[in-house]
Amino acid sequence: MSLEHAILGFLQYEPSSGYDLKKVFDTSVQHFWPADQSQIYRTLARIADQGWAEVEVVRNDDRPDRKAYHITDAGRAELRRWLAMPLPPEPHRSADLIRVFFAGQLRDEEALAIFETEAAAVRAGLAQYGRVPDLAQPYVDAYGDDREHFFWFLTLEAGRIAAEAHLAWLESVIERIRAGHVPPAAQRHDANACS
């Protein structure tokens, strides 16, 4: 997914500054698409350069001037084009699974610590999913309609289900390691050792 299209999606609801958009990301889609402030500002500049948004400078007497980005007809057309087209599959990469793949080189206690740490992180993430509806409520109240809300909350459902499945797998691995189901390490000869 491109950050450009996420921002266009939010700009269709109301003109926004980079600061406004950061708050929107943090209260709506952060559970699957986080964005930092500098990414948002760089992307807004690209969107404006492509003609997908126009910039309005809003003067403030007691604060710095604010740049409000308004989506253009070209931006709406680009968002609609992107929404309707099939997305190419993204290659799945997981540093965690690379670590699991080579974890046979660790002692059982070391491997167990990896899985327990990951399980704790997933549990914390699941707790965060539980807080998303409350965090998002002001955004839900202000924008969209019941149809859009239905699709918004499908993203939360997908994340929660994926996290629950991942946690079930982690807990299964932890149980097998604790029960002693891990085969012992084989004796290996170091190919580089001198004889």
Side-chain angles (χ1 to χ4, degrees), residues 27-50:
T27 59
S28 62
V29 298
Q30 182 178 355
H31 61 284
F32 65 93
W33 196 266
D36 66 40
Q37 195 78 44
S38 61
Q39 288 175 307
I40 290 170
Y41 280 111
R42 284 191 308 269
T43 304
L44 280 168
R46 281 196 309 271
I47 287 171
D49 288 345
Q50 292 170 341

Side-chain angles (χ1 to χ4, degrees), residues 41-68:
Y41 280 111
R42 284 191 308 269
T43 304
L44 280 168
R46 281 196 309 271
I47 287 171
D49 288 345
Q50 292 170 341
W52 296 344
E54 294 176 345
V55 183
E56 172 191 8
V57 177
V58 179
R59 304 278 178 216
N60 287 308
D61 293 333
D62 55 344
R63 295 180 309 207
D65 292 345
R66 177 178 171 268
K67 289 183 178 178

Side-chain angles (χ1 to χ4, degrees), residues 25-34 118-137 140 151-167:
F25 270 85
D26 289 350
T27 59
S28 62
V29 298
Q30 182 178 355
H31 61 284
F32 65 93
W33 196 266
E118 179 66 16
V122 173
R123 285 185 198 99
L126 279 167
Q128 182 64 24
Y129 279 123
R131 290 189 287 275
V132 168
D134 291 336
L135 292 172
Q137 196 59 52
V140 169
F151 287 101
W152 292 352
F153 283 103
L154 287 180
T155 66
L156 183 61
E157 179 183 302
R160 184 183 46 74
I161 289 170
E164 287 170 348
H166 187 55
L167 181 59

Side-chain angles (χ1 to χ4, degrees), residues 98-108 110-111 182 185-186 188:
I98 288 291
R99 191 165 51 170
V100 169
F101 189 86
F102 292 109
Q105 298 174 38
L106 300 174
R107 294 186 325 272
D108 287 358
E110 293 172 311
V182 179
R188 297 186 188 183

Side-chain angles (χ1 to χ4, degrees), residues 1-20:
M1 179 181 137
S2 74
L3 184 56
E4 287 93 349
H5 296 99
I7 289 174
L8 288 172
F10 289 124
L11 290 179
Q12 74 177 336
Y13 296 116
E14 74 172 341
S16 301
S17 68
Y19 176 79
D20 297 332

Side-chain angles (χ1 to χ4, degrees), residues 66-195:
R66 177 178 171 268
K67 289 183 178 178
Y69 290 80
H70 299 256
I71 193 169
T72 63
D73 289 341
R76 281 189 180 79
E78 172 57 23
L79 177 61
R80 185 132 179 92
R81 181 201 65 76
W82 180 81
L83 286 170
M85 68 180 243
L87 294 177
E90 293 185 15
H92 179 73
R93 292 188 177 112
S94 171
D96 290 338
L97 287 180
I98 288 291
R99 191 165 51 170
V100 169
F101 189 86
F102 292 109
Q105 298 174 38
L106 300 174
R107 294 186 325 272
D108 287 358
E109 307 80 48
E110 293 172 311
L112 183 60
I114 290 170
F115 290 101
E116 288 174 335
T117 299
E118 179 66 16
V122 173
R123 285 185 198 99
L126 279 167
Q128 182 64 24
Y129 279 123
R131 290 189 287 275
V132 168
D134 291 336
L135 292 172
Q137 196 59 52
Y139 190 77
V140 169
D141 291 341
Y143 304 105
D145 56 27
D146 289 342
R147 178 180 173 80
E148 286 181 297
H149 300 162
F150 172 81
F151 287 101
W152 292 352
F153 283 103
L154 287 180
T155 66
L156 183 61
E157 179 183 302
R160 184 183 46 74
I161 289 170
E164 287 170 348
H166 187 55
L167 181 59
W169 175 75
L170 289 166
E171 289 174 340
S172 167
V173 172
I174 290 167
E175 182 180 312
R176 286 180 274 167
I177 293 172
R178 285 184 179 157
H181 295 173
V182 179
Q187 287 297 103
R188 297 186 188 183
H189 299 287
D190 187 354
N192 296 323
C194 297
S195 39

